[in-house]
Amino acid sequence: MKRPNLKRALLPVILIGGLMTINGQVKQSIDHTSQLKTLSFTEREYAEVLLLVSTNTGESPGGAIATFEQIGGDSTYTDTVPESGTLTFPEVWVGEYNLTVTKEGYEPYTNVINIQGEYYIEEVLLLEELVPPDNLEAEANCKDVYLEWTHNPTVKTRRSENRKIPTQAGNNSRETNQREFIGFNVYKEGVLLNEEPLSETEYTDENSLGGTFGYCATAVYSTGESGSTDTVNVEVDFITPPDNLEGYKINWVDIQLEWDEPLPQQYYPLQWDDGENYTSIGTEDEYDFSVASRWYPEDLGVYDSMYLDKISFYPTEENCEYYA
C-alpha cells in the first residue's frame, strides 16, 4: 500500500499596516507593526549551579543542607551536600536567590546571589560554631560573688547570627582557620572582669560594691568570642559584717565565740570633679541660689541599695549659711 504524501498546508500571510490577509480574507492583526517583537531563542532560562562546600575544621561537609529561595518568585531548590562537598543543581531558573547552607555544629552560611549565564559557581566555607558557656549560676557571700558555669563545645546550644557575604561567584572571602578553644571571659554590667581568658569554669568577684549586678560569661576561641550566657542578676549586701570571728571550746557541749566590731564602712565617692577646686561664683552682694550635681539613672545602677552618707563641697565664702 502506497503511503500518502503528507504536506503541511501553508497559509499565505501578508501583514498590511494593522490588517492581516489570510486566503484573501482581511482580518485585524493582533499587534500593529510598530509593536511587533522579535523572539530570541538564545536567551537562557536555566543555569547549572555548582556549590563547592568545605569546613574550617577540615571535616567533611557531608549532610549539610543547601537551599535556594528565589527573591520575588516562588522557586525553591534544596538538596543535601555529599561527602565530597561538591553539589550540583543541573537546572535552576536564572534570577536572584537567597542561598543558605546549614550543618549541625556550624554557623549558617547565607548569601544573596544573582544566577545568570550558563553556569554559576559558589564556594561555601562553613565555620565551626562558637559555642557559648551554659548554666551560669551566681551566689553572693558578703561582698564576694561566686560564679560557676558549664561548657560543652561539642554540643550546639545557640545559633549565631547569619552573615551577609558580598555576591561573588567562584570566590569566598572567609579564610580557613582551625578553631581552638582558649578560655572564658566574665562580664559584670557589660564590663570585662578578667585580664586574661580563664581556664576554669568558675570565677569569684571579690569585694564587690553593694547593689544588684548582672553577670554573664562567654567562651573565647582562636576564631573569635562566642555569644554570652543568659545574664544572672545578683544582689550584694553593702552592710559590713563583724570582723575576726574566733571560737573556743569550753567543754564537751559549749563553745565560746568572739569577734570584733565591723570595720569602718567603706565609702565610694561619686563625683564629676578631680578633687581640686578651680573657681567659684561671685555676686558681690547677698544672694540665695542652689547648686547640684546631676547623674543619669544608668550612672547610678551600681550604687543601688547603698546609703547617701556624706555630701562634700567647697565653701568659698565664710560669712554665709549652707544647707544640704
Side-chain angles (χ1 to χ4, degrees):
M1 182 174 178
K2 190 175 180 179
R3 196 170 185 179
N5 185 16
L6 301 179
K7 295 184 178 180
R8 180 177 297 174
L10 300 177
L11 298 178
V13 178
I14 304 174
L15 189 63
I16 307 175
L19 300 179
M20 184 185 300
T21 302
I22 302 178
N23 283 345
Q25 296 183 4
V26 179
K27 296 184 179 291
Q28 179 142 5
S29 64
I30 298 175
D31 296 309
H32 293 290
T33 304
S34 61
Q35 297 174 328
L36 292 179
K37 297 181 179 179
T38 301
L39 295 178
S40 174
F41 294 98
T42 61
E43 295 180 1
R44 300 191 60 83
E45 297 180 342
Y46 294 96
E48 182 176 348
V49 177
L50 183 66
L51 296 184
L52 305 178
V53 186
S54 60
T55 67
N56 71 326
T57 64
E59 296 181 358
S60 169
I65 305 298
T67 303
F68 294 90
E69 293 184 352
Q70 190 177 30
I71 299 176
D74 56 1
S75 296
T76 300
Y77 305 86
T78 185
D79 204 349
T80 302
V81 178
E83 293 295 321
S84 65
T86 301
L87 179 61
T88 302
F89 291 83
E91 291 186 342
V92 176
W93 283 98
V94 296
E96 197 171 29
Y97 288 83
N98 285 318
L99 168 63
T100 303
V101 182
T102 59
K103 180 177 173 63
E104 184 75 15
Y106 292 84
E107 296 181 4
Y109 176 94
T110 64
N111 198 0
V112 178
I113 62 176
N114 189 13
I115 299 176
Q116 300 293 337
E118 187 175 358
Y119 299 101
Y120 183 91
I121 301 175
E122 178 83 359
E123 295 182 10
V124 177
L125 176 63
L126 297 177
L127 299 178
E128 189 177 10
E129 190 173 31
L130 305 181
V131 181
D134 202 5
N135 302 320
L136 175 65
E137 296 181 354
E139 182 180 3
N141 182 12
C142 294
K143 292 186 178 182
D144 296 340
V145 178
Y146 175 72
L147 306 169
E148 188 176 16
W149 58 88
T150 60
H151 185 235
N152 186 0
T154 62
V155 178
K156 186 170 74 170
T157 59
R158 181 175 299 180
R159 172 165 291 184
S160 302
E161 295 183 357
N162 294 346
R163 299 181 179 181
K164 296 296 182 183
I165 310 299
T167 303
Q168 188 173 359
N171 183 32
N172 192 304
S173 60
R174 298 184 179 188
E175 297 181 357
T176 302
N177 190 3
Q178 181 78 23
R179 185 193 76 172
E180 295 181 3
F181 173 70
I182 297 177
F184 304 99
N185 283 336
V186 175
Y187 293 86
K188 175 181 180 180
E189 295 294 317
V191 178
L192 180 63
L193 295 181
N194 49 290
E195 296 181 357
E196 298 292 335
L198 307 171
S199 59
E200 303 295 332
T201 57
E202 60 182 14
Y203 180 81
T204 300
D205 180 23
E206 299 178 345
N207 295 319
S208 174
L209 295 173
T212 301
F213 306 98
Y215 291 87
C216 65
T218 64
V220 182
Y221 300 86
S222 57
T223 54
E225 186 175 12
S226 75
S228 68
T229 62
D230 293 334
T231 299
V232 176
N233 294 316
V234 182
E235 184 176 355
V236 181
D237 197 347
F238 188 67
I239 300 175
T240 303
D243 195 27
N244 297 325
L245 175 64
E246 295 181 354
Y248 304 95
K249 180 179 179 181
I250 299 176
N251 51 47
W252 291 102
V253 294
D254 297 324
I255 296 178
Q256 180 177 338
L257 299 177
E258 296 180 358
W259 58 87
D260 296 333
E261 293 183 358
L263 296 174
Q265 189 77 353
Q266 186 174 1
Y267 291 98
Y268 299 92
L270 181 63
Q271 61 192 71
W272 291 115
D273 61 272
D274 59 2
E276 296 293 332
N277 187 38
Y278 174 66
T279 186
S280 61
I281 299 175
T283 63
E284 297 183 353
D285 200 355
E286 294 183 3
Y287 193 82
D288 294 333
F289 59 90
S290 300
V291 294
S293 292
R294 175 180 293 181
W295 286 268
Y296 291 99
E298 54 268 26
D299 299 323
L300 303 174
V302 296
Y303 301 95
D304 185 29
S305 78
M306 293 186 182
Y307 299 95
L308 179 62
D309 186 80
K310 293 182 179 180
I311 298 177
S312 62
F313 63 96
Y314 287 97
T316 57
E317 176 57 48
E318 183 178 355
N319 298 319
C320 66
E321 295 180 351
Y322 298 96
Y323 299 95

